[in-house]
Amino acid sequence: MKALITGITGQDGSYLADLLLEKGYDVYGMVRRASTENFERIAHIRDRVSLCQADLLDELSLIQLLEDVRPDEIYNLAAMSFVPTSWSQPILTGEFTAIGVVRLLEAMRRVCPKARFYQASSSEMFGKVREVPQTERTPFYPRSPYGVSKVFGHYITVNYRESYDLFAVSGILFNHESPRRGMEFVTRKITDGAARIKLGLSRELRMGNLDAERDWGFAGDYVQAMWLMLQQDTPDDYVIASGIAHSVKDVVRVAFEHVGLNWEDYIVTDPRFLRPAEVDHLLGDSTKARGVLGWRPSVDFEGLITMMVDADLERLKRTSA
């Protein structure tokens, strides 16, 4: 089996590549041409995956890529994935995260229509939530250019499935984190900040809205759900979530308690980190995925945050030495 992963150098892409290699796949990763390349997350498997240059902004490059690889499975994880940046670059976010999905689906339809396609949808599509918890049937109300773009990507995947009889699915994944999470994301900002303060490298951590609530899980668990979706007899869409919501303040508390510090002594609220339109409460109901896919998360919230803190402590000690 051959699998193509767009966004292979990201958090999810690297964990998915690990999983597929364990299952005996030939793994191909799509990367954009860049003057500086960052393969840090896949350094441990760099000699076991094939990296190919193409771009979601260039359909011809996608067609050529699919003709060269002829994948059995396509996982579209590439996107402008940092929500705050989507406010400052809304058009580019739309090009990558919305129209990029159409380009890839259209290339697949023309070159390898029998392949199976996974689209990375997001809980940010629910935005100003209409019901709690959110299921596959909950209406979307996105609150950022990123969320709006993801809604387009989600529905165009459904449209191509129904119009062209493609095996195309969307995984509506709620927040999922890991030690491989980018530093710009709030969980990693917190765990890195707690580790830095514990080691005497920083004195404070400036934060935005501490009351926003999210449903957090471990990225290594969530990529298993992606793979399971493409192993089913019938394509369908699934919510993937832990089913438990925690506030940003909870993340801060667990991280700082893990290193023996009182978080209130170090956190400074900074209005610069507030969003123009906030998403206050996301909580997913993954009953369908648990029943149909047999999927279960293995890492709980506190285990996830302490795992990330420990990894940041180890990294900072190593780099300081």
Side-chain angles (χ1 to χ4, degrees), residues 291-311:
V292 177
L293 305 179
W295 176 81
R296 298 286 188 283
S298 66
V299 179
D300 64 11
F301 174 73
E302 293 204 356
L304 170 65
I305 302 307
T306 55
M307 172 205 305
M308 293 173 67
V309 172
D310 287 341

Side-chain angles (χ1 to χ4, degrees), residues 12 74-77 117-126 135-136 140 146 150 153-155 157-158 161 168-176 222-230 235-241 288-289 293:
D12 293 6
I74 301 169
Y75 296 86
N76 184 36
L77 311 185
F117 180 89
Y118 172 85
Q119 165 62 15
S121 290
S122 168
S123 59
E124 288 287 328
M125 300 188 306
F126 294 118
T135 72
E136 292 82 3
F140 299 135
Y146 171 80
K150 279 292 186 183
H154 177 86
Y155 276 130
T157 301
V158 173
R161 176 172 74 216
V169 308
S170 289
I172 307 173
L173 271 57
F174 280 64
N175 292 65
H176 45 288
Y222 285 41
V223 299
Q224 293 182 2
M226 299 178 188
W227 178 78
L228 286 168
M229 289 179 211
L230 294 193
D236 205 350
D237 307 321
Y238 297 88
V239 163
I240 305 299
K288 179 179 174 182
L293 305 179

Side-chain angles (χ1 to χ4, degrees), residues 173-242:
L173 271 57
F174 280 64
N175 292 65
H176 45 288
E177 319 295 324
S178 75
R180 300 181 192 176
R181 191 53 140 160
M183 288 292 186
E184 68 272 23
F185 290 88
V186 67
T187 48
R188 188 72 190 284
K189 177 180 177 179
I190 292 167
T191 61
D192 174 73
R196 287 181 179 277
I197 292 170
K198 177 63 177 179
L199 296 175
L201 302 175
S202 298
R203 291 187 294 179
E204 66 179 23
L205 179 61
R206 306 185 80 84
M207 296 292 299
N209 181 11
L210 295 179
D211 297 321
E213 294 186 337
R214 295 291 186 273
D215 183 328
W216 275 295
F218 172 50
D221 289 336
Y222 285 41
V223 299
Q224 293 182 2
M226 299 178 188
W227 178 78
L228 286 168
M229 289 179 211
L230 294 193
Q231 312 315 307
Q232 304 307 303
D233 293 333
T234 305
D236 205 350
D237 307 321
Y238 297 88
V239 163
I240 305 299
S242 75

Side-chain angles (χ1 to χ4, degrees), residues 50-122:
S50 301
L51 299 184
C52 312
Q53 286 190 0
D55 197 317
L56 287 178
L57 301 184
D58 181 357
E59 186 177 347
L60 289 178
S61 72
L62 299 175
I63 291 172
Q64 185 64 56
L65 172 62
L66 295 186
E67 288 178 342
D68 291 343
V69 175
R70 297 285 172 173
D72 300 292
E73 297 175 357
I74 301 169
Y75 296 86
N76 184 36
L77 311 185
M80 291 281 285
S81 60
F82 187 47
V83 176
T85 299
S86 76
W87 293 103
S88 59
Q89 298 182 346
I91 297 172
L92 189 59
T93 297
E95 285 286 348
F96 273 114
T97 310
I99 305 303
V101 184
V102 190
R103 295 189 183 101
L104 188 53
L105 281 166
E106 188 63 18
M108 171 184 157
R109 183 177 76 85
R110 293 169 181 268
V111 177
C112 50
K114 297 302 182 184
R116 297 191 168 198
F117 180 89
Y118 172 85
Q119 165 62 15
S121 290
S122 168

